[in-house]
Amino acid sequence: MATPFRQVRADYDDETITVYQAYNRAIASAAVAEQKLNASPEFLTTRMTWIKPSWAWMLYRAGYSYKDPGQERILALKMKHDTFINLLERAVLTTHDRGGTMGKMEGESSPALSDGTSDNTSMQVHHTAAGAGKSSDVKVQWDPERTIRLHKLGYRSIQIGIPKAIIPDWVEHMIVKIEDVTDKARRLKQVLDDKPDVTDEELIQLGLVPTEKPFELPERLQISLRMVGDHTK
């Protein structure tokens, strides 16, 4: 069965779902040690931070953690299912999929800030009657999914932008576990370099690639995020 054009795929269990973001060394070390993302004073709450449930897209965004010092540590952040869904309940899309002017083309990467987040605020077009979202709106952007070798695929992967207005609540109450997965990303890159013909199944068996499954969303969210209906392209 073909993968839907827009679909949330993630590593999850019965209670939690894993999302990823990359940060600098100081932020990541403090976050893991204290299990609080804002444990370091370098963590910024003044800009939107983007999380993604796709391991491959995180590797692409951070260049397996080698892209720049602001993204040298990749963190896996676990959230409860209902918390993740509640974030999406507050979401608006960052681009119009049909008609109008795009403020930001899907697939373009935003520059990384010092805390490893992306600041898209100057380039966004929101799905609101006035064309501008509220400061408390969560943003959703659909970018081309990537293979574990970072090749572009023909379907989309979700990115979720958490606005500064709710970052304190997200940090304090919505993240239940923080794990540093940088070494996993770097071991993966080494295996790919040393053994170019390694299969995805072998990488999964080595524990370097999580098994990501479709994460089912309520129908109302599938509609509002243009995952179903007449707006799936």
Side-chain angles (χ1 to χ4, degrees), residues 61-79:
R61 184 69 183 87
Y64 299 99
S65 82
Y66 294 115
K67 194 169 187 176
D68 68 64
Q71 301 184 82
E72 65 180 332
R73 299 278 292 276
I74 300 174
L75 299 184
L77 313 172
K78 290 188 179 295
M79 302 173 61

Side-chain angles (χ1 to χ4, degrees), residues 1 7 12 17 33 40 50 61 65 91 94 96 104 107 110 113 127 133 135 151 164 174 191 193 205 228:
M1 182 181 295
Q7 181 187 61
Y12 63 92
I17 181 171
S40 168
W50 290 84
R61 184 69 183 87
S65 82
T94 58
H96 289 288
K104 185 176 187 296
S110 301
L113 300 170
H127 277 310
S135 63
H151 301 145
K164 62 181 182 180
M174 302 186 195
V191 171
D193 289 344
Q205 291 174 358
V228 296

Side-chain angles (χ1 to χ4, degrees), residues 190-210:
Q190 188 65 55
V191 171
L192 292 174
D193 289 344
D194 292 345
K195 190 179 178 183
D197 59 346
V198 66
T199 66
D200 287 359
E201 184 59 37
E202 289 174 315
L203 293 172
I204 291 173
Q205 291 174 358
L206 288 170
L208 301 178
V209 175

Side-chain angles (χ1 to χ4, degrees), residues 45-58:
T45 60
T46 56
R47 294 188 176 100
M48 179 170 289
T49 189
W50 290 84
I51 57 176
K52 59 280 293 176
S54 167
W55 176 234
W57 214 99
M58 183 70 261

Side-chain angles (χ1 to χ4, degrees), residues 29-212:
S29 295
V32 172
E34 300 189 31
Q35 289 296 293
K36 287 290 185 183
L37 197 54
N38 60 348
S40 168
E42 292 188 28
F43 182 85
L44 302 178
T45 60
T46 56
R47 294 188 176 100
M48 179 170 289
T49 189
W50 290 84
I51 57 176
K52 59 280 293 176
S54 167
W55 176 234
W57 214 99
M58 183 70 261
L59 297 176
Y60 165 72
R61 184 69 183 87
Y64 299 99
S65 82
Y66 294 115
K67 194 169 187 176
D68 68 64
Q71 301 184 82
E72 65 180 332
R73 299 278 292 276
I74 300 174
L75 299 184
L77 313 172
K78 290 188 179 295
M79 302 173 61
K80 296 285 190 180
H81 290 194
D82 58 348
T83 303
F84 181 78
I85 290 172
N86 286 341
L87 276 181
L88 294 181
E89 294 275 11
R90 303 173 64 168
V92 293
L93 296 177
T94 58
T95 58
H96 289 288
D97 293 334
R98 287 188 178 182
T101 301
M102 281 195 175
K104 185 176 187 296
M105 295 297 293
E106 292 182 3
E108 292 181 358
S109 296
S110 301
L113 300 170
S114 61
D115 66 350
T117 64
S118 296
D119 184 5
N120 293 329
T121 53
S122 64
M123 304 167 68
Q124 290 165 335
V125 177
H126 312 308
H127 277 310
T128 62
K134 302 186 295 296
S135 63
S136 60
D137 284 339
V138 173
K139 308 300 189 297
V140 161
Q141 179 170 303
W142 294 99
D143 289 298
E145 181 63 285
R146 301 283 167 165
T147 70
I148 213 66
R149 294 166 176 81
L150 311 189
H151 301 145
K152 185 185 293 188
L153 292 169
Y155 47 88
R156 302 302 197 190
S157 180
I158 196 170
Q159 286 198 79
I160 303 164
I162 301 176
K164 62 181 182 180
I166 66 171
I167 283 179
D169 188 43
W170 176 65
V171 166
E172 291 293 334
H173 305 295
M174 302 186 195
I175 300 171
V176 298
K177 184 178 180 181
I178 302 173
E179 180 184 1
D180 191 331
V181 290
T182 310
D183 286 346
K184 180 188 292 187
R186 294 183 175 184
R187 289 199 304 270
L188 171 59
K189 180 67 166 65
Q190 188 65 55
V191 171
L192 292 174
D193 289 344
D194 292 345
K195 190 179 178 183
D197 59 346
V198 66
T199 66
D200 287 359
E201 184 59 37
E202 289 174 315
L203 293 172
I204 291 173
Q205 291 174 358
L206 288 170
L208 301 178
V209 175
T211 301
E212 294 178 350

